[in-house]
Amino acid sequence: MIDFKRLTQHTFNYNLHTHTPYCDGRASIEAFVTEAIARGYKYLGFTPHSPIPFESSCNMAAEKVDEYLGEIARLRALYGQQLHIYAGMEIDYTGDWGPTAGYFGSVPLDYSIGSVHFIPSFSHEGEMVDIDGRYENFKVKMSEHFGGDIEAVVRMFFKQMLNMVESGGFDIVGHLDKIGYNASCYRPGIDREPWYETLVVELIDAIMDIGYVIEINTKAWETKHRFFPHERYFARLKRYGAPIVINSDAHEPALLSAGRDTARNLWLKA
Ligand SMILES: [Zn+2]
Ligand SMILES: [Zn+2]
C-alpha cells in the first residue's frame, strides 16, 4: 500500500489520476510516462475506469486488464529509475458493483480511486445513467431518466458516494462533489443552497470518520473554473487534517499538470 501522506509531504511531483486508451484517455501509457519524466514528476499513477458489469464505452474491458498490468510492468522496467509508476484503477461504484466486488480482489493493483459516475435511472428500472459527462448530455438525461428533478439527482449522487465510502475497498475518494458542475448548469446556484452544502459536509464527515485520502481533482479548472471538491471546502478539510492528493485526472499528457499549481496555492492559503 502506498503511503500517500508521506508521498505528498515530501513532493508535489506526483499525479495519481490519469487515463489512457485502456479506457477513454487519448495517449499511451508510455507517452504519459515520458511527458511526466520531462516535467520532473517522480510519481505517476494510472487509473483506467474499471471494468463494470454493463455496457460503457468509457470503461476498460475486463479482458484488457492483464494487458494493462503487463504494459505497466514493461514501462517500470524501462523507466523505473526515473519515475515511480503505479498501476491503479478508478473503480466505479454503482450500488450493485464497486470497489468491494470480489473481482477486484483478484487484480493486483497498487491502489484505487473510488468514484461515482453513474446513478440509477428513475424511469428505466435497472438502467445506470452516466451523469458525469458533458452538460449537453446531462441535460438530455435529466428529462429522459430523471423527470427534471435535479434535487433528487443530487441527493442520489451523494447517497451513492456515501454508500461507497461506507462499504470501502479503495484508497482515494475521487472528485467528491462532481455532480456540482452539471447540477449548477441545470440550476445555477444549487450548490450554494443549504441542503446541498449539508450533503457535502455529511460526506466529508463520513470520509474523515473512516479515514480515506481525499482527492482534489483539477481536471476542470482550466476549462470550467471548478475544482472537485469545490475550493470553498478546502478550509474545512484542512481543519479536519484531511490527507489530500492533488490530481489532474489527465486524459492526455499535455494536461498532466492542468490546474494543479492553482489548487495547491489555494490549499496552502485556505
Ligand atoms: Zn472520474
Ligand atoms: Zn478519472
Side-chain angles (χ1 to χ4, degrees):
M1 159 83 182
I2 302 166
D3 187 341
F4 296 102
K5 215 167 173 175
R6 203 155 161 263
L7 187 157
T8 54
Q9 264 163 7
H10 80 86
T11 184
F12 190 54
N13 293 325
Y14 67 87
N15 191 12
L16 302 168
H17 192 157
T18 56
H19 296 279
T20 69
Y22 282 99
C23 56
D24 58 351
R26 295 182 287 275
S28 68
I29 295 182
E30 188 157 11
F32 272 93
V33 165
T34 52
E35 178 74 19
I37 291 169
R39 290 180 187 230
Y41 279 83
K42 294 289 173 227
Y43 302 87
L44 184 63
F46 290 91
T47 49
H49 293 292
S50 69
I52 40 170
F54 52 86
E55 207 49 54
S56 161
S57 59
C58 292
N59 289 66
M60 176 160 60
E63 305 80 66
K64 283 288 206 180
V65 172
D66 283 346
E67 185 190 316
Y68 161 63
L69 295 172
E71 180 63 357
I72 295 273
R74 183 183 80 84
L75 294 170
R76 241 182 224 154
L78 276 178
Y79 299 99
Q81 300 290 335
Q82 300 158 78
L83 182 71
H84 295 270
I85 304 170
Y86 298 122
M89 260 190 207
E90 183 175 15
I91 303 181
D92 268 293
Y93 178 86
T94 68
D96 293 337
W97 181 260
T100 57
Y103 167 76
F104 295 106
S106 66
V107 185
L109 298 173
D110 294 315
Y111 72 100
S112 60
I113 297 175
S115 293
V116 170
H117 307 102
F118 298 89
I119 64 170
S121 170
F122 296 172
S123 55
H124 299 62
E125 214 188 312
E127 209 175 302
M128 296 304 296
V129 184
D130 182 354
I131 42 79
D132 191 73
R134 292 159 173 232
Y135 176 62
E136 306 84 77
N137 299 336
F138 178 81
K139 203 166 111 183
V140 173
K141 289 167 187 168
M142 276 305 296
S143 50
E144 252 175 35
H145 289 279
F146 303 114
D149 191 345
I150 188 64
E151 190 170 325
V153 166
V154 167
R155 286 187 186 282
M156 179 58 81
F157 173 85
F158 282 107
K159 188 172 150 225
Q160 295 282 87
M161 286 294 295
L162 203 55
N163 289 344
M164 176 183 85
V165 161
E166 282 168 358
S167 52
F170 62 95
D171 306 296
I172 300 172
V173 180
H175 44 61
L176 73 82
D177 60 351
K178 192 75 192 287
I179 192 69
Y181 177 75
N182 276 337
S184 315
C185 291
Y186 196 81
R187 189 162 105 195
I190 191 170
D191 59 337
R192 298 306 297 260
E193 294 174 19
W195 65 272
Y196 182 107
E197 293 190 328
T198 301
L199 292 176
V200 179
V201 169
E202 280 172 0
L203 176 60
I204 291 173
D205 285 350
I207 293 167
M208 292 307 298
D209 282 349
I210 301 170
Y212 299 96
V213 175
I214 295 176
E215 163 183 87
I216 294 176
N217 185 299
T218 66
K219 178 186 166 194
W221 179 255
E222 288 178 0
T223 49
K224 297 171 180 140
H225 230 63
R226 185 134 192 154
F227 293 122
F228 305 104
H230 195 284
E231 61 270 24
R232 82 175 64 102
Y233 298 103
F234 286 8
R236 175 181 294 269
L237 290 170
K238 265 182 107 166
R239 204 163 62 238
Y240 286 180
I244 57 120
V245 290
I246 299 179
N247 289 331
S248 69
D249 196 353
H251 287 58
E252 54 189 281
L255 297 176
L256 254 183
S257 309
R260 291 185 74 245
D261 285 333
T262 311
R264 182 165 71 151
N265 290 338
L266 286 174
W267 175 260
L268 292 173
K269 279 190 248 155

